[in-house]
């Protein structure tokens, strides 16, 4: 069997069209323009390209977007002041501080300073807590994107054995939690594997759905995958540079071999990546509607 490709690019395009229409209506009917600020500290090339893509998408959808680029030696106190300024700015509904931050800045302190109402990343403990309780909140963008991909591809998750590989706060922990909840793309039996898991292959082999978010290129190989499994690859690993100077990317899954066994698979690039940015836009629109008292 060769797997059906779940195109994040296509699904993201559909959601962006829905969002563009909603944003136009917000402006026409309520004079509301959603606003997003991205804050980048330092010169990490991957972060630079993510932030540029976030701003470009925001602009294309009619979201007011501001970009703050700070040198790597920016002090924690200065960064906190900037966050506090945007907490008070009525034009801005969403604040995104791109991670990772330079080592001398306490990431937790920065994330805790963002007003939870403007935390469109869903990283503030208030939003994390609400997410775990299944309450209305901003869902973190990558897990939110994975749920949409599963839902819109018609993948049945109720009762499914899901193996998540990777226990990060951004992907592994939240997607594991969301998929065990009573919700769309939920009701699964979830196993969360990580670097100390004893026999990763044994867990993977019995999984109906594997979500790989480890940051190790091609770590999930065909012998670890059950026939007909659904494979969601969150990895974006830079494995080289093309002659034209573009990064060559590989996922956490050995795509060419695994796609011959899986029923559905996401490619890298063009799978989960475009969804992360799109869900950030969705959260920003949600924030603007909340601020305007429309929801
Ligand atoms: N770094 C990697 N992924 C993310 C994300 O979703 N949000 C932020 N702020 N930083 C990231």
């Amino acid at each position: 069997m060769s797997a059906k490709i779940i195109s994040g690019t296509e699904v993201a395009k559909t959601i962006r069209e829905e969002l563009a229409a909603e944003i136009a209506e917000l402006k026409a009917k309520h004079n509301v323009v959603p606003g997003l600020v991205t804050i980048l500290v330092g010169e990490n090339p991957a972060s630079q390209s993510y932030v540029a893509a976030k701003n470009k998408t925001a602009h294309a959808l009619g979201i007011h977007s501001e970009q703050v680029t700070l040198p790597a030696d920016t002090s924690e106190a200065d960064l906190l002041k900037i966050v506090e300024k945007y907490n008070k700015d009525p034009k801005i509904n969403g604040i995104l501080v791109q991670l990772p931050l330079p080592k001398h800045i306490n990431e937790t302190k920065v994330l805790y300073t963002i007003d939870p109402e403007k935390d469109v990343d869903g990283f503030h403990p208030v939003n994390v807590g609400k997410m775990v309780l299944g309450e209305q909140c901003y869902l973190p963008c990558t897990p939110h994107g994975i749920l949409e991909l599963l839902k819109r591809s018609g993948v049945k998750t109720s009762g499914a054995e899901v193996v998540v590989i990777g226990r990060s706060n951004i992907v592994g922990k939240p997607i594991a939690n969301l998929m065990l909840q009573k919700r769309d793309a939920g009701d699964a039996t979830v196993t969360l594997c990580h670097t100390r898991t004893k026999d990763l292959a044994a867990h993977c082999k019995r999984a109906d759905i594997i979500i790989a978010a480890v940051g190790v290129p091609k770590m999930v190989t065909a012998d670890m995958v059950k026939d007909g499994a659904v494979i969601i690859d969150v990895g974006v690993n830079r494995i080289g540079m093309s002659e034209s100077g573009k990064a060559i990317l590989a996922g956490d899954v050995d795509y060419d071999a695994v796609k011959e066994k899986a029923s559905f698979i996401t490619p890298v690039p063009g799978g989960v990546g475009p969804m992360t940015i799109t869900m950030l836009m969705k959260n920003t629109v949600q924030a603007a509607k909340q601020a305007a008292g429309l929801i």
Side-chain angles (χ1 to χ4, degrees):
M1 186 195 326
S2 191
K4 273 201 189 139
I5 312 301
I6 301 180
S7 169
T9 308
E10 286 298 313
V11 177
K13 186 166 169 265
T14 305
I15 300 175
R16 285 177 198 184
E17 282 163 8
E18 294 165 7
L19 283 173
E22 193 177 355
I23 291 163
E25 191 180 317
L26 278 175
K27 169 95 178 115
K29 279 201 184 150
H30 303 284
N31 203 24
V32 167
V33 178
L36 172 72
V37 62
T38 59
I39 303 173
L40 173 65
V41 186
E43 286 165 11
N44 177 321
S47 294
Q48 283 173 329
S49 84
Y50 292 143
V51 165
K54 287 168 186 178
N55 283 291
K56 191 174 158 204
T57 308
H59 187 72
L61 294 184
I63 291 174
H64 165 76
S65 90
E66 297 183 22
Q67 186 170 354
V68 179
T69 308
L70 301 167
D73 62 357
T74 300
S75 72
E76 184 181 285
D78 283 348
L79 178 58
L80 293 177
K81 268 190 222 141
I82 290 168
V83 170
E84 276 159 5
K85 183 185 98 172
Y86 283 108
N87 278 345
K88 294 196 204 98
D89 185 339
K91 287 194 306 303
I92 296 299
N93 306 108
I95 301 172
L96 177 136
V97 178
Q98 187 66 26
L99 305 179
L101 288 168
K103 293 269 179 298
H104 66 277
I105 298 179
N106 181 336
E107 220 160 76
T108 306
K109 209 164 164 186
V110 175
L111 295 180
Y112 279 41
T113 303
I114 297 172
D115 179 349
E117 303 280 326
K118 296 192 176 189
D119 168 39
V120 284
D121 254 330
F123 292 166
H124 190 286
V126 165
N127 285 313
V128 176
K130 286 183 175 178
M131 179 203 71
V132 171
L133 294 172
E135 287 181 22
Q136 160 84 357
C137 63
Y138 299 114
L139 294 183
C141 302
T142 301
H144 197 178
I146 294 170
L147 296 179
E148 283 295 323
L149 280 181
L150 292 169
K151 215 162 65 181
R152 293 184 188 232
S153 308
V155 172
K156 185 176 164 290
T157 59
S158 179
E161 293 282 341
V162 174
V163 167
V164 176
I165 318 173
R167 55 179 156 181
S168 70
N169 289 339
I170 295 182
V171 186
K173 282 191 224 164
I175 192 63
N177 194 280
L178 286 162
M179 290 197 73
L180 61 79
Q181 293 183 16
K182 290 182 186 168
R183 54 167 301 133
D184 275 354
D187 284 322
T189 302
V190 181
T191 305
L192 181 45
C193 296
H194 48 77
T195 41
R196 298 299 170 100
T197 297
K198 274 200 190 122
D199 190 349
L200 178 65
H203 287 288
C204 288
K205 273 182 206 162
R206 52 170 191 74
D208 301 309
I209 302 173
I210 297 177
I211 299 177
V214 262
V216 178
K218 303 186 187 187
M219 198 192 83
V220 177
T221 48
D223 58 306
M224 295 164 72
V225 173
K226 180 169 91 173
D227 276 327
V230 175
I231 309 294
I232 304 292
D233 189 349
V234 187
V236 184
N237 305 294
R238 297 177 163 229
I239 56 167
M241 200 67 103
S242 73
E243 276 179 16
S244 60
K246 255 184 105 178
I248 300 170
L249 302 179
D252 291 347
V253 174
D254 184 2
Y255 180 81
D256 290 334
V258 171
K259 82 173 186 325
E260 299 307 321
K261 279 185 102 175
S263 58
F264 289 90
I265 191 166
T266 60
V268 177
V272 174
M275 292 300 292
T276 297
I277 298 176
T278 301
M279 301 329 281
L280 174 69
M281 303 303 137
K282 198 169 169 73
N283 284 353
T284 304
V285 172
Q286 182 186 330
K289 282 160 61 180
Q290 269 166 217
L294 298 171
I295 45 175

